[in-house]
């Protein structure tokens, strides 16, 4: 058996002492990493008795690596005797920047929710809620269909990457956002229905998103992974977005004229938030193209495609008109990735956060933007 400390910082040489037990004959021990981004110097050790040996590890990217321990005897017969997990994290400076980015993003989202609350026309929302066929279908799609689809896709494709599965589940359990309203208007969908669905899903998210992460997230990480999902922090992160939304709506009732002025800044502010988050996010997650594989790309594409299809089918079965069908379909598929990114960046440490954001970014690149233009 081999034991050594298995968590260190990327791009640093980490000396490790390995202890070899139960040696009954001369053996050759070979340590083979699961990915060549983890370098192991002195990876081959010849032993004749119980001993200690020195190796040096160097991880080029923050990731959860596996190291296979192969044992070969003097007769040339070899076997896999052990598999070790090695956590390579970001540098402390980058981890601090990552936390700051998550905090700033959370603050921007809170302000955006406040402005969104000021900009909502409650008369239109109440009008739809009196006959809530569209919003009800949307909630069923977003908080029943999408979480289950995301979990299934993760189970089938991302089974060996628990953190990526959690990121995909968080995305699938997130509410709609301003992006879905934009795309709905662009494709001549029912804007009022889209805004109503965004409002309803945002209010419901602090309960439903936490529920699905608690129910399904608990099955993703095995006990031997040594990782626990911070449910309380997730709940606090989500409810911190609902409070400013309700505050904005209250402000709109108490001070309608001033709220109307504030609401006019919603689109410019959303644009600034998206631009700033994109620039900073790209820098902090610049390793995305090194970490991403076909698994994350296909997972994001399947989640988006399933959302469009599910919203389309259920809204057509409910007899909604064309513009309403477009609104439900887009609102179902175009989740609010900013919430998923914020929750991951502020609640998970490296390398779990680095792996968790990969399917979210892959979803943005494959299921929204230009692919959405082509699809519709």
């Amino acid at each position: 058996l081999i034991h050594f400390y298995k968590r260190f910082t990327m791009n640093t040489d980490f000396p490790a002492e390995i202890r070899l037990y139960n040696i009954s004959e001369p053996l050759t021990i070979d340590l083979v990493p699961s990915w060549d981004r983890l370098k192991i110097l002195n990876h081959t050790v010849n032993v004749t008795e119980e001993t200690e040996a020195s190796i040096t590890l160097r991880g080029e990217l923050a990731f959860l690596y596996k190291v296979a321990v192969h044992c070969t005897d003097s007769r040339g017969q070899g076997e896999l005797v052990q598999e070790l997990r090695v956590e390579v994290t970001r540098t402390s400076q980058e981890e601090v920047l990552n936390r700051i980015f998550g905090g700033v993003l959370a603050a921007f989202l809170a302000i955006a929710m406040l402005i969104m609350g000021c900009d909502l026309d409650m008369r239109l929302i109440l009008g739809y809620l009196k006959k809530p066929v569209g919003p009800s279908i949307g909630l069923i799609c977003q908080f029943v269909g999408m979480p289950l689809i995301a979990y299934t896709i993760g189970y089938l494709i991302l089974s060996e990457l628990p953190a990526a599965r959690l990121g995909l589940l968080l995305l699938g359990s997130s509410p709609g956002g301003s992006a879905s309203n934009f795309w709905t208007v662009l494709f001549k969908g029912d804007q009022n229905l889209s805004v109503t669905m965004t409002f309803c899903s945002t209010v419901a998210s602090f309960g439903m998103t936490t529920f699905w992460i608690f129910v399904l997230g608990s099955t993703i990480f095995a006990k031997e992974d040594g990782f626990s999902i911070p449910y309380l922090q997730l709940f606090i992160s989500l409810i911190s977005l609902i409070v400013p939304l309700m505050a904005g709506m209250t402000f709109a009732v108490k001070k309608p004229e001033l709220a109307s002025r504030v609401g006019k800044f919603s689109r410019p502010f959303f644009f600034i938030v998206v631009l700033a988050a994109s620039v900073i996010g790209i820098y902090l997650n610049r390793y995305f193209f090194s970490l991403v594989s076909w698994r994350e790309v296909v997972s994001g594409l399947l989640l988006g495609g399933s959302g469009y299809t599910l919203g389309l089918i259920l809204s057509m079965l409910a007899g909604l008109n064309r513009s309403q069908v477009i609104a439900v379909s887009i609102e179902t598929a175009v989740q609010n990735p900013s919430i998923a990114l914020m929750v991951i960046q502020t609640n998970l440490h490296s390398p779990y956060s680095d792996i968790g954001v990969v399917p979210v970014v892959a979803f943005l690149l494959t299921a929204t933007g230009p692919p959405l233009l082509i699809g519709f």
Side-chain angles (χ1 to χ4, degrees), residues 218-267:
S218 59
T219 68
I220 291 178
F221 288 94
K223 291 182 179 180
E224 58 268 21
D225 290 333
F227 178 83
S228 59
I229 299 173
Y231 298 107
L232 179 60
Q233 291 90 327
L234 290 176
F235 180 79
I236 293 174
S237 297
L238 292 167
I239 202 170
S240 66
L241 301 177
I242 308 304
V243 172
L245 175 67
M246 303 306 292
M249 294 173 60
T250 303
F251 185 69
V253 173
K254 300 289 185 180
K255 303 285 185 179
E257 293 184 2
L258 187 56
S260 178
R261 295 177 191 173
V262 174
K264 292 179 181 179
F265 293 98
S266 60
R267 285 170 177 78

Side-chain angles (χ1 to χ4, degrees), residues 179-198:
S180 59
N181 307 148
F182 166 79
W183 290 110
T184 297
V185 173
L186 185 63
F187 292 115
K188 299 180 180 180
D190 190 327
Q191 180 183 10
N192 294 328
L193 175 58
S194 178
V195 172
T196 302
M197 290 175 61
T198 298

Side-chain angles (χ1 to χ4, degrees), residues 26-30 46 70-79 81:
L27 299 172
T28 299
I29 305 295
D30 194 21
N46 296 311
H70 295 275
C71 179
T72 305
D73 60 22
S74 57
R75 296 179 296 277
Q77 296 179 342
E79 64 175 319
V81 295

